[in-house]
């Protein structure tokens, strides 16, 4: 079951974020403050960030967050898949695929974007199977 994040998920999602941000899937290691801000923003139900929980038998087994913007290069609203994490023991059960299909349906008029580490083989396979392709951009930040 995929549902939007709730206040009662805060502890479980924070723990999953710690694992995700400590993995090879993410360049930065995050922090307690970042995790708190991300979850709080999701719970606001505002226009910027939406959080999801992947639940099995009433227990969170993964999470995802999406951010919203407009891409002038493609002239479309854009959904950034910011985080997509499934606990290791629940991988290869179709949770990531189900989430991406849901996002494609819910935001069918939007451009979907995400970042992935080349070394994250499982994620790269999933994204390619779902029709994502690599862009030749260099991302920069300040």
């Amino acid at each position: 079951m995929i549902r939007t994040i709730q206040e009662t998920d805060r502890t479980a999602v924070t723990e999953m974020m710690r694992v995700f941000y400590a993995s090879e899937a993410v360049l930065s290691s995050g922090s307690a403050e970042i995790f708190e801000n991300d979850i709080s923003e999701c719970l606001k139900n505002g226009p910027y960030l939406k959080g999801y929980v992947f639940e099995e038998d009433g227990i969170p087994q993964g999470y995802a967050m999406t951010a919203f913007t407009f891409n002038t290069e493609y002239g479309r609203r854009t959904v950034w898949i910011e985080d997509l994490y499934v606990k290791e023991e629940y991988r290869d059960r179709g949770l990531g695929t189900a989430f991406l299909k849901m996002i494609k349906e819910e935001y069918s008029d939007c451009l979907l974007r995400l970042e992935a580490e080349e070394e994250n083989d499982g994620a790269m396979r999933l994204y390619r199977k779902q029709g994502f392709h690599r862009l030749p951009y260099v991302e920069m930040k300040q």
Side-chain angles (χ1 to χ4, degrees):
M1 173 177 164
I2 300 171
R3 59 174 175 74
T4 57
I5 191 171
Q6 300 168 5
E7 181 63 44
T8 55
D9 299 314
R10 188 180 290 273
T11 301
V13 172
T14 299
E15 183 54 36
M16 288 186 283
M17 291 180 82
R18 281 191 191 106
V19 173
F20 180 57
Y21 278 78
S23 75
E24 65 182 19
V26 184
L27 290 177
S28 66
S29 56
S31 68
E33 180 181 7
I34 289 171
F35 304 153
E36 173 68 26
N37 289 345
D38 291 351
I39 293 169
S40 293
E41 190 65 35
C42 288
L43 291 169
K44 286 182 186 177
N45 293 317
Y48 302 113
L49 193 64
K50 188 170 182 179
Y52 302 87
V53 170
F54 310 153
E55 191 175 81
E56 190 169 292
D57 299 324
I59 300 168
Q61 303 302 351
Y63 81 97
M65 292 183 184
T66 54
F68 304 92
T69 186
F70 190 90
N71 186 295
T72 59
E73 184 176 352
Y74 294 97
R76 294 169 63 187
R77 290 185 307 139
T78 302
V79 177
W80 276 93
I81 300 165
E82 290 288 339
D83 291 14
L84 175 52
Y85 172 79
V86 176
K87 291 180 180 177
E88 192 165 345
E89 61 270 25
Y90 287 87
R91 293 180 188 160
D92 297 321
R93 293 187 182 192
L95 292 171
T97 299
F99 173 73
L100 291 172
K101 286 182 178 178
M102 181 190 81
I103 292 299
K104 285 181 192 179
E105 289 174 15
E106 187 172 343
Y107 301 103
S108 60
D109 60 333
C110 295
L111 176 69
L112 301 181
R113 298 209 41 191
L114 54 80
E115 297 173 351
E117 286 298 306
E118 194 77 45
E119 296 82 20
N120 192 346
D121 295 328
M124 295 298 285
R125 276 192 308 276
L126 169 65
Y127 302 147
R128 285 186 187 114
K129 282 173 59 176
Q130 290 300 311
F132 288 86
H133 63 277
R134 185 181 177 137
L135 294 172
Y137 292 104
V138 173
E139 183 172 345
M140 300 173 74
K141 73 174 188 110
Q142 181 181 23

